[in-house]
Amino acid sequence: MFLVGLTGGIASGKSTVSSQLKELGCPVIDADVVAQKVVEFQSPAYKLILQHFGREVLLENGEIDRKKLGQIIFSNPEKRRLLNSITHPLIHKEMFRQILLYFIKGYRYVILDVPLLFETRRLTRFLTHTVVVYCDPATQLSRLMQRDALSHEEAQQRIAAQMPLKEKRGLASHVMENSGSREDTHRQVLRLHTKLEDSMEFLVVRAVAVAAVAGLCGLFLCTVKLLIS
Ligand SMILES: CC(C)(COP(=O)(O)OP(=O)(O)OC[C@H]1O[C@@H](n2cnc3c(N)ncnc32)[C@H](O)[C@@H]1O)[C@@H](O)C(=O)NCCC(=O)NCCS
Ligand SMILES: Nc1ncnc2c1ncn2[C@@H]1O[C@H](COP(=O)(O)OP(=O)(O)OP(=O)(O)O)[C@@H](O)[C@H]1O
């Protein structure tokens, strides 16, 4: 199995692309969904957030007020680093668990939708391809303001909390241009899908895994033989 990283800037269109890939039957692990799971009520991350940010980031029902926490961390880099240090190790651990499940089920590849892929760099060494969903800065700003009902300043602040999208584009092995229509993007998604489906790279990883298991079995048998003789 090989891993494909899907990333981009805030509101550049990652979810739009990953939904289209899911509709085509691709397995996708979404880091934003995993991030929600790790801060569920009374989880270890939930307790740490409560300890460091106080009850002001809780809703009346005790769950995390994501809007409030977002307002805090996007306007304060230190608080953002603190939240990242609480959540990121747990997000990566859960993602590895889900990757393993896909591997056991025999999937040939998995797409990891990770907004901060190039910022954290924790997963990059495991990836065969990296796809950046790009759109021009004016489109990104207006889509973000519209989707999240943010002011110009708030939206700029959120964009500035990430590595510049142009820089991410330079790091990718594959760029998806999402400044145009959804249909335009869908055509590019279809091309990427064909490329992934036709790829034989999963065979390399499978061969390495088989060789490693065979090596371990050989070592085990040699040890048993030595102990008996
Ligand atoms: C701040 C939180 C509570 C806001 O929740 P909300 O439901 O409003 O937004 P959501 O989680 O869907 O994130 C929306 C987008 O914001 C951006 N974003 C989220 N967290 C961060 C961050 N720490 N730094 C920079 N950008 C971020 C990403 O582009 C993400 O796709 C939430 O994003 C969070 O817990 N963030 C910390 C965990 C994290 O880094 N998640 C990103 C995936 S690795
Ligand atoms: N090609 C497009 N044409 C018009 N609107 C689009 C297009 N692509 C995405 N959008 C809209 O732009 C907004 C941002 O897109 P999307 O949610 O897919 O971005 P994202 O990168 O997943 O964002 P985030 O980083 O916040 O998770 C959404 O409201 C979406 O409907």
Side-chain angles (χ1 to χ4, degrees):
M1 187 175 79
F2 63 94
L3 302 175
V4 182
L6 176 73
T7 190
I10 186 163
S12 74
K14 298 175 298 295
S15 306
T16 303
V17 167
S18 75
S19 305
Q20 292 181 1
L21 286 163
K22 273 188 232 163
E23 275 168 26
L24 292 165
C26 296
V28 179
I29 301 174
D30 184 333
D32 282 339
V33 174
V34 173
Q36 280 188 34
K37 186 180 151 94
V38 303
V39 301
E40 270 170 8
F41 188 58
Q42 298 299 10
S43 63
Y46 171 95
K47 288 178 184 160
L48 282 170
I49 290 171
L50 186 56
Q51 188 185 323
H52 290 280
F53 290 85
R55 298 194 69 81
E56 63 168 304
V57 296
L58 295 189
L59 293 165
E60 270 182 15
N61 66 5
E63 284 176 13
I64 303 275
D65 184 341
R66 305 181 63 79
K67 202 166 174 296
K68 187 74 190 284
L69 190 54
Q71 280 162 355
I72 295 172
I73 67 124
F74 286 117
S75 59
N76 183 332
E78 217 162 283
K79 295 267 162 108
R80 188 161 65 243
R81 273 192 290 276
L82 174 61
L83 181 65
N84 290 348
S85 72
I86 294 171
T87 54
H88 286 183
L90 294 159
I91 293 171
H92 293 142
K93 198 169 150 203
E94 172 61 19
M95 288 185 79
F96 278 119
R97 192 188 70 81
Q98 294 189 17
I99 291 167
L100 191 65
L101 287 180
Y102 278 116
F103 179 69
I104 292 166
K105 287 181 189 164
Y107 279 80
R108 292 193 295 159
Y109 63 88
V110 177
I111 295 163
L112 310 179
D113 177 352
V114 188
L116 304 178
L117 187 71
F118 291 131
E119 284 87 346
T120 67
R121 303 201 71 82
R122 177 79 174 82
L123 299 167
T124 45
R125 79 190 101 143
F126 304 107
L127 305 173
T128 306
H129 303 283
T130 48
V131 181
V132 162
V133 182
Y134 180 83
C135 70
D136 63 73
T139 307
Q140 182 186 18
L141 185 66
S142 81
R143 284 182 185 163
L144 177 58
M145 286 170 67
Q146 202 176 344
R147 188 196 60 186
D148 294 349
L150 296 175
S151 68
H152 187 276
E153 197 197 342
E154 286 170 320
Q156 290 277 29
Q157 215 172 40
R158 289 182 186 217
I159 291 172
Q162 300 185 344
M163 181 190 284
L165 190 45
K166 271 196 184 133
E167 215 173 295
K168 291 190 182 182
R169 187 174 63 173
L171 294 171
S173 60
H174 189 103
V175 177
M176 202 154 277
E177 169 55 62
N178 186 40
S179 310
S181 67
R182 288 173 202 280
E183 293 69 35
D184 255 7
T185 302
H186 191 60
R187 276 190 282 277
Q188 297 173 65
V189 167
L190 287 175
R191 280 201 292 276
L192 175 67
H193 179 245
T194 307
K195 188 174 158 184
L196 295 178
E197 286 293 307
D198 291 348
S199 176
M200 287 293 147
E201 269 145 347
F202 74 97
L203 284 176
V204 178
V205 183
R206 230 172 245 184
V208 170
V210 169
V213 171
L216 282 175
C217 289
L219 199 68
F220 175 72
L221 288 176
C222 286
T223 313
V224 171
K225 211 172 157 193
L226 271 174
L227 287 173
I228 293 171
S229 62

